[in-house]
């Protein structure tokens, strides 16, 4: 059968609603949640608007570091970059793949760097000055442990973090990472973050302690968003120790 015929037949098949099973660490062990294609599409739209808020636009180039098991948010970032017509290269976020990050950085000269991990930075630091590498990017969204390393090297990094099954993305105001209030209820109990699924999520998730030290700011952000902001204790503690 010709390939075109195969694709035409495949298009007629029922598509299961389920896109991913998301496994995430909570205070009392690993939890699983279903993630549908419809939810993934809504999450992608939200990430697109957040990245647009950072000034991402056609003609820029992006470097994304992510691991395969992070598809529940990696897929949304890739979808957002495509929607914004920003070409991207992807390297693995684990430390052993830092050379691929270096190669993409050299070849792409990215305007936008998303998902940097402390492990990648530690690998790169053996042969490069991470400040010099990333200061020229107009947007750097990095993981919690990477943010203080970057800020210490003079890079205006913004925080991105998985908050259980949700993604938190800091805006240019850099006063906490926004979580999509239309999909999630994020809060704090005794200095720890908790999350629950909003009513629109197919998979139910009652309020779940995440074992992540932090607090939540509500109210309108200077960026104009009403989405609550997560401030992690770790990132806050280290940002004041910059030299
Ligand atoms: Zn904001």
């Amino acid at each position: 059968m010709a390939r075109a015929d195969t694709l035409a037949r495949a298009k007629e098949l029922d598509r299961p609603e389920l896109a991913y099973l998301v496994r995430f660490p909570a205070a009392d062990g690993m939890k699983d949640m279903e993630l549908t294609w419809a939810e993934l599409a809504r999450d992608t739209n939200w990430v697109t608007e957040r990245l647009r808020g950072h000034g991402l636009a056609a003609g820029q180039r992006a470097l994304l570091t992510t691991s395969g098991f992070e598809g529940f948010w990696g897929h949304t970032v890739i979808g957002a970059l495509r929607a914004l017509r920003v070409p991207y290269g992807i390297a693995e976020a684990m430390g052993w793949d830092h050379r691929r990050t270096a190669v993409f950085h050299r070849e792409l000269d990215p305007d936008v760097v998303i998902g940097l991990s402390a492990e990648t930075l530690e690998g790169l630091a053996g042969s490069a000055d991470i400040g010099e590498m990333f200061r020229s990017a107009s947007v750097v969204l990095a993981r919690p442990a990477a943010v203080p390393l970057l800020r210490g090297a003079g890079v205006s990094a913004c925080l991105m973090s998985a908050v259980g099954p949700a993604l938190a993305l800091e805006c240019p105001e850099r006063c906490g990472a926004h979580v999509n209030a239309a999909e999630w209820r994020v809060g704090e109990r005794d200095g720890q973050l908790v999350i629950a699924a909003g009513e629109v999520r197919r998979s139910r998730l009652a309020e779940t302690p995440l074992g992540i030290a932090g607090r939540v700011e509500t109210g309108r952000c200077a960026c104009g968003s009403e989405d609550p902001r997560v401030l992690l204790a770790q990132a806050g503690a280290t940002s004041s120790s910059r030299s």
Side-chain angles (χ1 to χ4, degrees):
M1 189 185 290
R3 182 172 162 78
D5 292 347
T6 311
L7 291 173
R9 281 285 303 282
K11 277 175 80 173
E12 291 169 11
L13 298 174
D14 288 338
R15 196 180 193 192
E17 280 184 52
L18 186 65
Y20 284 93
L21 273 174
V22 181
R23 173 157 285 195
F24 63 94
D28 61 351
M30 300 301 285
K31 303 265 185 211
D32 290 320
M33 251 191 114
E34 294 185 352
L35 176 64
T36 66
W37 289 108
E39 288 164 345
L40 207 48
R42 298 200 301 273
D43 294 349
T44 300
N45 289 341
W46 181 81
V47 172
T48 303
E49 289 315 306
R50 297 251 59 91
L51 294 185
R52 203 191 302 279
H54 275 282
L56 265 70
Q60 294 180 321
R61 296 171 303 279
L63 168 58
L64 171 64
T65 56
T66 181
S67 296
F69 68 90
E70 297 173 314
F72 71 97
W73 67 256
H75 190 106
T76 66
V77 172
I78 290 167
L81 292 171
R82 295 179 128 191
L84 294 166
R85 303 181 66 198
V86 173
Y88 56 87
I90 305 178
E92 166 61 52
M94 293 194 185
W96 49 260
D97 202 37
H98 67 271
R99 285 191 183 83
R100 194 189 314 264
T101 298
V103 168
F104 274 129
H105 184 271
R106 189 181 66 223
E107 299 297 325
L108 276 172
D109 188 18
D111 306 281
V112 185
V113 181
I114 301 173
L116 279 176
S117 66
E119 292 78 8
T120 298
L121 294 177
E122 281 156 14
L124 292 171
S127 56
D129 179 324
I130 60 167
E132 261 176 40
M133 244 181 126
F134 297 111
R135 268 196 297 269
S136 60
S138 55
V139 181
V140 176
L141 282 155
R143 295 158 194 260
V147 168
L149 299 176
L150 288 161
R151 290 183 182 172
V155 179
S156 300
C158 292
L159 174 68
M160 68 179 297
S161 180
V163 176
L167 178 65
L169 285 176
E170 203 163 42
C171 68
E173 299 295 327
R174 293 206 302 165
C175 55
H178 289 283
V179 172
N180 187 355
E183 304 284 334
W184 306 102
R185 305 276 171 270
V186 65
E188 61 182 86
R189 297 277 177 272
D190 304 323
Q192 304 277 317
L193 298 181
V194 297
I195 196 159
E199 285 160 16
V200 294
R201 300 304 273 199
R202 186 173 84 159
S203 215
R204 306 256 49 92
L205 182 72
E207 185 175 287
T208 302
L210 294 171
I212 300 172
R215 59 193 178 87
V216 175
E217 290 276 347
T218 53
R220 193 179 178 85
C221 176
C223 73
S225 171
E226 304 273 358
D227 286 329
R229 283 162 282 144
V230 166
L231 293 104
L232 303 181
Q234 179 197 17
T238 44
S239 63
S240 61
S241 63
R242 268 181 286 169
S243 56

